[in-house]
Amino acid sequence: MTTWRFEQHLPQERAAVFGWHERPGAAHRLTPPFMGAVAAGPTDGIRVGSELTLHIDGVPGSLREWTAIHSLYDPPRLFADRAVGG
């Protein structure tokens, strides 16, 4: 199984940045219009079990749709998801 990890260090307070990701519409704000669009979800924000599906433009084959389920939620420290399709 391939794993990607991404860390970002920001000059803002951790709780404020985490809260930004918890607010409704974060997935839409993070998806550039040239890449595609949120097709469904997130079903429960970034909490464990929440599901999100993206339609991805400009890629061949089966990667046109990507589905992720959030698998870790430890506010305000981290959240994580795993790809379950696409």
Side-chain angles (χ1 to χ4, degrees):
M1 175 174 70
T2 301
T3 301
W4 286 284
R5 180 183 170 112
F6 178 78
E7 276 186 38
Q8 180 76 37
H9 298 275
L10 303 169
Q12 290 80 19
E13 292 291 324
R14 180 185 303 239
V17 174
F18 198 90
W20 187 92
H21 285 87
E22 288 186 301
R23 285 197 297 271
H28 296 273
R29 291 190 300 273
L30 289 168
T31 305
F34 61 84
M35 185 180 131
V38 176
T43 56
D44 190 21
I46 58 174
R47 296 185 185 281
V48 171
S50 180
E51 192 169 315
L52 172 75
T53 300
L54 297 172
H55 282 289
I56 302 170
D57 294 334
V59 294
S62 63
L63 192 60
R64 290 193 180 123
E65 190 168 280
W66 178 72
T67 300
I69 294 181
H70 282 283
S71 55
L72 290 173
Y73 177 75
D74 183 13
R77 193 171 79 74
L78 67 86
F79 63 91
D81 57 56
R82 62 186 174 85
V84 294

